Coordinates of all heavy atoms in Angstrom, one line a residue:
E183 N -57.3 215.2 157.1 CA -56.7 216.3 156.5 C -55.6 217.0 157.4 O -55.4 216.6 158.5 CB -57.7 217.3 156.0 CG -58.7 216.8 155.0 CD -58.0 216.5 153.6 OE1 -57.0 217.2 153.3 OE2 -58.5 215.7 152.9
R184 N -55.1 218.2 156.9 CA -54.1 218.9 157.7 C -54.6 219.3 159.1 O -55.7 219.8 159.2 CB -53.7 220.1 156.9 CG -52.5 220.9 157.6 CD -52.5 222.4 157.3 NE -52.3 222.6 155.9 CZ -52.0 223.8 155.4 NH1 -51.8 224.8 156.2 NH2 -51.8 224.0 154.1
I185 N -53.7 219.1 160.1 CA -54.1 219.4 161.5 C -53.8 220.9 161.7 O -52.8 221.5 161.4 CB -53.2 218.6 162.5 CG1 -53.6 217.1 162.3 CG2 -53.4 219.1 163.9 CD1 -52.7 216.2 163.2
Y186 N -54.9 221.6 162.3 CA -54.8 223.0 162.6 C -54.8 223.2 164.1 O -54.2 224.2 164.6 CB -56.0 223.7 162.0 CG -55.7 224.2 160.6 CD1 -55.7 223.3 159.5 CD2 -55.5 225.6 160.3 CE1 -55.5 223.7 158.2 CE2 -55.3 226.0 159.0 CZ -55.3 225.1 158.0 OH -55.1 225.5 156.7
S187 N -55.3 222.3 164.9 CA -55.4 222.5 166.3 C -55.2 221.1 167.0 O -55.6 220.1 166.4 CB -56.7 223.1 166.8 OG -57.8 222.3 166.2
L188 N -54.6 221.1 168.2 CA -54.3 219.9 168.8 C -54.1 220.1 170.3 O -53.7 221.2 170.8 CB -53.0 219.3 168.2 CG -52.5 218.0 168.7 CD1 -51.9 217.1 167.6 CD2 -51.4 218.2 169.8
G189 N -54.4 219.1 171.1 CA -54.3 219.2 172.6 C -54.6 217.9 173.3 O -55.1 216.9 172.7
F190 N -54.2 217.9 174.6 CA -54.4 216.7 175.4 C -55.7 216.9 176.3 O -56.0 218.1 176.7 CB -53.2 216.6 176.4 CG -52.0 216.0 175.8 CD1 -51.0 216.9 175.3 CD2 -51.8 214.6 175.7 CE1 -49.8 216.4 174.8 CE2 -50.6 214.1 175.1 CZ -49.6 215.0 174.7
H191 N -56.3 215.8 176.6 CA -57.3 215.8 177.7 C -56.6 216.0 179.0 O -55.5 215.5 179.1 CB -58.1 214.5 177.7 CG -59.3 214.5 178.6 ND1 -59.1 214.2 180.0 CD2 -60.6 214.7 178.4 CE1 -60.3 214.2 180.6 NE2 -61.2 214.6 179.7
P192 N -57.1 216.7 180.0 CA -56.4 217.0 181.2 C -56.1 215.7 182.1 O -55.4 215.8 183.0 CB -57.2 218.0 182.0 CG -58.6 217.9 181.3 CD -58.3 217.5 179.9
N193 N -56.7 214.6 181.7 CA -56.5 213.3 182.4 C -55.0 213.0 182.6 O -54.3 213.0 181.6 CB -57.2 212.2 181.7 CG -57.1 210.9 182.4 OD1 -56.7 210.8 183.6 ND2 -57.3 209.8 181.7
Q194 N -54.6 212.7 183.8 CA -53.2 212.3 184.0 C -52.9 210.8 184.0 O -51.7 210.4 184.1 CB -52.7 212.9 185.4 CG -52.8 214.4 185.5 CD -52.3 215.0 186.8 OE1 -52.1 214.2 187.8 NE2 -52.2 216.3 186.9
E195 N -53.9 210.0 183.9 CA -53.7 208.6 184.0 C -53.2 208.0 182.6 O -52.4 207.1 182.6 CB -55.0 207.9 184.3 CG -55.6 208.3 185.7 CD -54.6 208.0 186.8 OE1 -53.9 206.9 186.8 OE2 -54.4 208.8 187.7
K196 N -53.7 208.6 181.5 CA -53.3 208.2 180.2 C -53.4 209.3 179.2 O -54.2 210.3 179.5 CB -54.1 207.0 179.7 CG -55.6 207.3 179.6 CD -56.4 206.0 179.2 CE -57.9 206.3 179.1 NZ -58.6 205.1 178.7
A197 N -52.6 209.3 178.2 CA -52.6 210.4 177.2 C -53.7 210.2 176.2 O -53.7 209.2 175.4 CB -51.2 210.4 176.5
L198 N -54.7 211.1 176.2 CA -55.7 211.2 175.2 C -55.5 212.5 174.4 O -55.6 213.6 174.9 CB -57.1 211.3 175.9 CG -57.5 210.0 176.7 CD1 -58.8 210.3 177.5 CD2 -57.8 208.9 175.8
V199 N -55.2 212.3 173.1 CA -54.9 213.4 172.2 C -56.1 213.7 171.3 O -56.6 212.7 170.7 CB -53.6 213.1 171.4 CG1 -53.3 214.3 170.6 CG2 -52.5 212.7 172.3
F200 N -56.5 214.9 171.2 CA -57.5 215.4 170.2 C -56.8 216.3 169.2 O -55.9 217.0 169.5 CB -58.6 216.2 171.0 CG -59.4 215.3 171.9 CD1 -59.0 214.9 173.1 CD2 -60.7 214.9 171.5 CE1 -59.8 214.1 174.0 CE2 -61.5 214.2 172.3 CZ -61.0 213.8 173.6
A201 N -57.4 216.2 168.0 CA -56.8 217.1 166.9 C -58.0 217.5 166.0 O -58.9 216.7 165.7 CB -55.8 216.3 166.1
G202 N -57.9 218.8 165.5 CA -58.9 219.3 164.6 C -58.2 219.6 163.3 O -57.1 220.1 163.2
D203 N -58.9 219.3 162.1 CA -58.3 219.4 160.8 C -58.9 220.5 160.0 O -59.9 221.1 160.4 CB -58.1 218.1 160.1 CG -59.4 217.6 159.5 OD1 -60.5 218.3 159.6 OD2 -59.4 216.5 158.8
K204 N -58.5 220.6 158.7 CA -58.9 221.6 157.8 C -60.3 221.5 157.4 O -61.0 222.5 157.1 CB -58.0 221.5 156.6 CG -58.2 222.5 155.5 CD -57.3 222.3 154.3 CE -57.5 223.3 153.2 NZ -56.6 223.1 152.1
L205 N -60.9 220.3 157.4 CA -62.3 220.1 156.9 C -63.3 220.0 158.0 O -64.5 219.6 157.8 CB -62.4 218.9 156.0 CG -61.6 219.1 154.7 CD1 -61.8 217.9 153.8 CD2 -61.9 220.4 153.9
G206 N -62.9 220.2 159.3 CA -63.9 220.2 160.4 C -64.0 218.8 161.1 O -64.9 218.6 161.9
N207 N -63.0 217.9 160.8 CA -63.0 216.6 161.5 C -62.2 216.7 162.8 O -61.2 217.4 162.9 CB -62.3 215.6 160.6 CG -63.0 215.4 159.3 OD1 -64.1 214.9 159.3 ND2 -62.3 215.8 158.2
L208 N -62.7 216.0 163.8 CA -62.1 216.0 165.1 C -61.6 214.5 165.4 O -62.4 213.6 165.4 CB -63.0 216.4 166.2 CG -62.4 216.5 167.6 CD1 -61.4 217.6 167.8 CD2 -63.5 216.6 168.7
G209 N -60.3 214.3 165.5 CA -59.7 213.0 165.7 C -59.4 212.8 167.2 O -59.0 213.7 167.9
L210 N -59.5 211.5 167.6 CA -59.2 211.1 169.0 C -58.2 209.9 169.0 O -58.5 208.9 168.3 CB -60.4 210.8 169.8 CG -60.3 210.0 171.1 CD1 -59.5 210.9 172.1 CD2 -61.6 209.6 171.7
F211 N -57.1 210.0 169.7 CA -56.2 208.9 169.8 C -55.9 208.7 171.3 O -55.6 209.6 172.1 CB -54.9 209.3 169.1 CG -53.8 208.3 169.3 CD1 -53.8 207.1 168.6 CD2 -52.7 208.5 170.1 CE1 -52.9 206.1 168.7 CE2 -51.7 207.5 170.3 CZ -51.8 206.3 169.6
D212 N -56.0 207.4 171.7 CA -55.7 207.0 173.1 C -54.4 206.3 173.1 O -54.2 205.2 172.6 CB -56.9 206.1 173.6 CG -56.7 205.6 175.0 OD1 -55.6 206.0 175.6 OD2 -57.5 204.8 175.5
A213 N -53.4 206.9 173.8 CA -52.0 206.3 173.8 C -51.9 205.1 174.7 O -50.9 204.4 174.7 CB -51.0 207.3 174.2
S214 N -53.0 204.8 175.5 CA -52.9 203.6 176.3 C -53.4 202.4 175.6 O -53.5 201.3 176.2 CB -53.7 203.8 177.6 OG -55.1 203.9 177.4
Q215 N -53.9 202.5 174.4 CA -54.5 201.4 173.7 C -53.5 200.2 173.4 O -52.3 200.5 173.3 CB -55.1 201.9 172.4 CG -54.0 202.3 171.4 CD -54.6 202.8 170.1 OE1 -54.6 202.1 169.1 NE2 -55.2 204.0 170.1
T216 N -54.1 199.0 173.4 CA -53.3 197.9 173.0 C -54.1 197.2 171.9 O -55.4 197.3 171.9 CB -53.1 196.9 174.1 OG1 -54.3 196.6 174.7 CG2 -52.2 197.5 175.2
A217 N -53.5 196.4 171.0 CA -54.2 195.8 169.9 C -55.1 194.7 170.5 O -54.7 193.9 171.4 CB -53.2 195.1 169.0
P218 N -56.4 194.6 170.1 CA -57.3 193.5 170.5 C -56.7 192.1 170.3 O -55.9 191.9 169.4 CB -58.6 193.7 169.7 CG -58.5 195.1 169.2 CD -57.0 195.5 169.1
Q219 N -56.9 191.2 171.2 CA -56.3 189.9 171.2 C -56.6 189.2 169.9 O -55.7 188.5 169.3 CB -56.8 189.0 172.4 CG -56.0 187.8 172.6 CD -54.5 188.1 172.9 OE1 -54.3 189.0 173.6 NE2 -53.6 187.3 172.4
E220 N -57.9 189.3 169.4 CA -58.2 188.5 168.1 C -57.5 189.1 166.9 O -57.1 188.4 166.0 CB -59.7 188.6 167.9 CG -60.3 190.0 167.7 CD -60.7 190.6 169.0 OE1 -60.3 190.0 170.1 OE2 -61.5 191.5 169.0
V221 N -57.2 190.5 167.0 CA -56.5 191.1 165.9 C -55.0 190.6 165.9 O -54.4 190.4 164.9 CB -56.6 192.6 165.9 CG1 -55.7 193.2 164.8 CG2 -58.0 193.0 165.7
K222 N -54.5 190.6 167.2 CA -53.1 190.1 167.3 C -53.0 188.7 166.8 O -52.0 188.3 166.1 CB -52.7 190.1 168.8 CG -52.4 191.5 169.4 CD -51.9 191.4 170.8 CE -51.5 192.7 171.3 NZ -51.0 192.6 172.7
Q223 N -53.9 187.8 167.1 CA -53.9 186.4 166.7 C -53.9 186.3 165.1 O -53.2 185.6 164.5 CB -55.1 185.6 167.3 CG -55.0 184.1 166.9 CD -53.7 183.5 167.5 OE1 -53.4 183.7 168.7 NE2 -53.1 182.7 166.7
E224 N -54.8 187.2 164.5 CA -54.8 187.2 163.1 C -53.5 187.6 162.5 O -53.0 187.1 161.5 CB -56.0 188.1 162.6 CG -57.3 187.6 162.8 CD -58.4 188.5 162.3 OE1 -58.1 189.4 161.6 OE2 -59.6 188.3 162.6
A225 N -52.9 188.6 163.1 CA -51.6 189.2 162.6 C -50.6 188.1 162.7 O -49.7 187.9 161.8 CB -51.3 190.4 163.3
D226 N -50.6 187.4 163.9 CA -49.6 186.3 164.1 C -49.7 185.2 163.1 O -48.8 184.7 162.5 CB -49.7 185.8 165.5 CG -49.3 186.8 166.6 OD1 -48.6 187.8 166.2 OD2 -49.7 186.7 167.7
D227 N -51.0 184.8 162.8 CA -51.3 183.7 161.9 C -50.8 184.1 160.5 O -50.2 183.3 159.8 CB -52.8 183.4 161.9 CG -53.2 182.8 163.2 OD1 -52.3 182.4 164.0 OD2 -54.5 182.8 163.4
A228 N -51.1 185.4 160.1 CA -50.7 185.9 158.8 C -49.2 186.0 158.7 O -48.6 185.7 157.6 CB -51.4 187.2 158.5
D229 N -48.5 186.4 159.8 CA -47.1 186.5 159.7 C -46.5 185.1 159.4 O -45.5 185.0 158.7 CB -46.6 187.0 161.1 CG -46.8 188.5 161.2 OD1 -47.0 189.1 160.2 OD2 -46.7 189.0 162.3
E230 N -47.1 184.0 160.0 CA -46.5 182.7 159.8 C -46.6 182.3 158.3 O -45.8 181.6 157.7 CB -47.3 181.7 160.6 CG -47.1 181.8 162.1 CD -47.9 180.8 162.9 OE1 -48.6 180.0 162.3 OE2 -47.8 180.9 164.2
D231 N -47.7 182.9 157.6 CA -47.9 182.6 156.2 C -47.0 183.6 155.4 O -47.0 183.4 154.1 CB -49.3 182.7 155.8 CG -50.2 181.7 156.5 OD1 -49.6 180.6 156.8 OD2 -51.4 181.9 156.8
G232 N -46.5 184.6 156.0 CA -45.6 185.5 155.3 C -46.3 186.5 154.4 O -45.7 186.9 153.4
D233 N -47.6 186.8 154.6 CA -48.3 187.7 153.6 C -49.1 188.8 154.4 O -50.2 189.1 153.9 CB -49.2 186.9 152.7 CG -50.3 186.2 153.5 OD1 -50.2 186.1 154.7 OD2 -51.2 185.6 152.9
A234 N -48.6 189.3 155.5 CA -49.3 190.4 156.2 C -48.3 191.4 156.8 O -47.2 191.1 156.9 CB -50.2 189.8 157.3
D235 N -48.8 192.5 157.1 CA -48.0 193.6 157.7 C -47.6 193.1 159.1 O -48.3 192.3 159.7 CB -48.8 194.9 157.8 CG -49.1 195.5 156.5 OD1 -48.3 195.2 155.5 OD2 -50.0 196.3 156.3
D236 N -46.5 193.5 159.5 CA -46.0 193.1 160.8 C -46.5 194.1 162.0 O -46.1 193.9 163.1 CB -44.5 193.0 160.8 CG -43.8 194.3 160.4 OD1 -44.5 195.3 160.1 OD2 -42.6 194.4 160.4
E237 N -47.3 195.0 161.6 CA -47.8 196.0 162.6 C -49.3 196.1 162.5 O -49.9 196.0 161.4 CB -47.2 197.3 162.5 CG -45.7 197.4 162.8 CD -45.2 198.8 162.8 OE1 -45.5 199.6 163.6 OE2 -44.4 199.1 161.8
V238 N -50.0 196.3 163.6 CA -51.4 196.5 163.7 C -51.7 198.0 163.7 O -51.0 198.8 164.4 CB -52.0 195.9 164.9 CG1 -53.5 196.2 165.0 CG2 -51.8 194.4 164.9
E239 N -52.6 198.5 162.8 CA -52.9 199.9 162.8 C -53.5 200.4 164.1 O -54.3 199.8 164.7 CB -53.9 200.2 161.7 CG -53.3 200.0 160.3 CD -52.2 200.9 159.9 OE1 -52.1 202.0 160.5 OE2 -51.4 200.6 159.0
P240 N -53.0 201.6 164.6 CA -53.6 202.2 165.8 C -55.0 202.4 165.7 O -55.5 202.8 164.6 CB -52.8 203.4 166.0 CG -51.5 203.3 165.2 CD -51.9 202.4 164.0
A241 N -55.8 202.3 166.8 CA -57.2 202.6 166.8 C -57.4 204.1 166.9 O -57.0 204.6 167.9 CB -57.9 201.8 167.9

Side-chain angles (χ1 to χ4, degrees):
E183 296 291 335
R184 185 206 298 193
I185 295 174
Y186 273 72
S187 53
L188 180 142
F190 286 94
H191 186 278
N193 179 18
Q194 297 181 352
E195 300 300 320
K196 58 182 179 179
L198 293 172
V199 183
F200 290 77
D203 78 357
K204 181 180 180 180
L205 296 184
N207 299 293
L208 183 71
L210 165 63
F211 175 75
D212 180 359
S214 70
Q215 66 182 256
T216 55
Q219 192 62 38
E220 60 273 15
V221 176
K222 282 185 177 180
Q223 184 62 47
E224 288 182 10
D226 293 340
D227 294 344
D229 284 343
E230 293 178 1
D231 298 330
D233 61 350
D235 293 337
D236 56 358
E237 291 186 68
V238 176
E239 293 294 338

